[in-house]
Structure formats: C-alpha cells, structure tokens
Amino acid sequence: VYQDDAGAGFTPGPLWTAQIAPPVFRGVGFHDSDVTDIPILAQDCLWQPTLDDGTYEVWAWIPGSGGGLTLSRDVTYTINEGVIATPVVVNQETSSGWVRLGTRRFNHDALNTLEVRVTNLGPVSELGRKVYADQIRFLGATNTAINSTPIQVIARVDVPSLGGLVDRPVVV
C-alpha cells in the first residue's frame, strides 16, 4: 500500500510546504519544512493509511540531497502502533530511494492502528536544512501461494516410446 503526501490519509503541519520542484518525488509532489530546534515550533506530517489487519514493513521515499534540496542528516520518524511509539532516525541527506523505517514488522488492527509521523524538530547543527515528506510504503506479508483454476485440455505431447506426438489429457 502506497500512501502519497497528496492523498487522503496524509496531513501536513501548517508550516510544511507542498512542492513540485525539484522533480525528485514519487506521485504528484512532496512536502518540506525548515528544521527547527525549538520544540514549541516543531510540526509533524502524519500518514494514516487504510490497511487490512496484519503486519507491515514501513518504507519512506527519500531522494537525498541534491537539485537544490539540502536535507537534514537527523530526521525522526515515529511509527505508532496504537499507543506504542517507535522512533526511527534517518539521515535524509545521504538516503536515496526507498528507505526502510525500523528493523521489524509493525502491527495494524482495529484497536492498534498503524500511523507514521515525521517531525521538523532537529538539533541546532541541522538549522538551514529541510525535512522531506513524500510517499510511505506499507508492505504486508508475502503470499507465495498459487491461487488458480486448473485448465484441462487435450494436448499433443511428444512421447518417444509411442513413436512421437500423441494426444493426451493435460492439466495446466
């Protein structure tokens, strides 16, 4: 499940700005905000996806610094499973592409909904840099089962012991 910053279920803080340049985003654009070191001025972006019950890996799209973006080296994402909060620190400057948040799968059910936040609060060393918010990807459990309706046909099969091609019933 992909949760874009332009879709339902995404809420940016009031000081986060919607952007379309540079073209490093997934979907229709991205949001960014200046880093602040003053807690009362800090704001979050919030992703609240619609998910089936289960466990999920959480990934964030981060392009890394470049193209006019100077991203923070100390960005905190918080993954909430109901009342359980797991903070994950990411270096957005050197990250490039899909970045896994955390080292485990996170639970989602009716009582413990999964949501992700990113804050623009950072250390004084990051002032003058931006925090980037774009798509979040929620990867559910992999199902490797084959679910298919078998097809029964009469096919020409090469059977050397019977002298070559013969018609045989085959299930595909």
Side-chain angles (χ1 to χ4, degrees):
V1 173
Y2 293 85
Q3 181 76 49
D4 193 39
D5 66 300
F10 175 80
T11 307
L15 296 180
W16 286 75
T17 305
Q19 307 281 3
I20 57 170
V24 294
F25 51 86
R26 303 261 319 169
V28 299
F30 65 94
H31 283 75
D32 69 10
S33 181
D34 293 322
V35 173
T36 183
D37 64 339
I38 303 170
I40 197 166
L41 298 178
Q43 296 182 353
D44 295 348
C45 283
L46 172 65
W47 292 264
Q48 295 175 298
T50 301
L51 301 170
D52 293 332
D53 288 358
T55 63
Y56 294 85
E57 292 178 7
V58 180
W59 296 73
W61 175 260
I62 304 168
S65 288
L69 281 176
T70 304
L71 299 179
S72 177
R73 297 164 294 201
D74 193 338
V75 176
T76 301
Y77 288 82
T78 303
I79 303 165
N80 296 314
E81 303 165 276
V83 297
I84 300 171
T86 303
V88 178
V89 177
V90 173
N91 180 339
Q92 288 192 334
E93 178 181 55
T94 59
S95 298
S96 181
W98 287 110
V99 177
R100 186 171 179 185
L101 302 179
T103 58
R104 66 179 181 87
R105 297 180 72 79
F106 296 91
N107 295 309
H108 174 83
D109 59 44
L111 297 176
N112 298 295
T113 58
L114 190 58
E115 65 180 30
V116 178
R117 292 180 177 274
V118 65
T119 184
N120 66 347
L121 181 64
V124 69
S125 62
E126 298 305 296
L127 295 177
R129 293 176 172 266
K130 298 280 189 182
V131 176
Y132 181 91
D134 196 355
Q135 277 191 359
I136 299 288
R137 178 170 65 180
F138 299 88
L139 293 178
T142 302
N143 180 355
T144 58
I146 298 173
N147 298 313
S148 170
T149 303
I151 300 171
Q152 299 179 11
V153 298
I154 302 295
R156 297 214 102 162
V157 178
D158 186 12
V159 183
S161 64
L162 295 177
L165 295 176
V166 294
D167 289 339
R168 292 288 174 122
V170 176
V171 177
V172 180

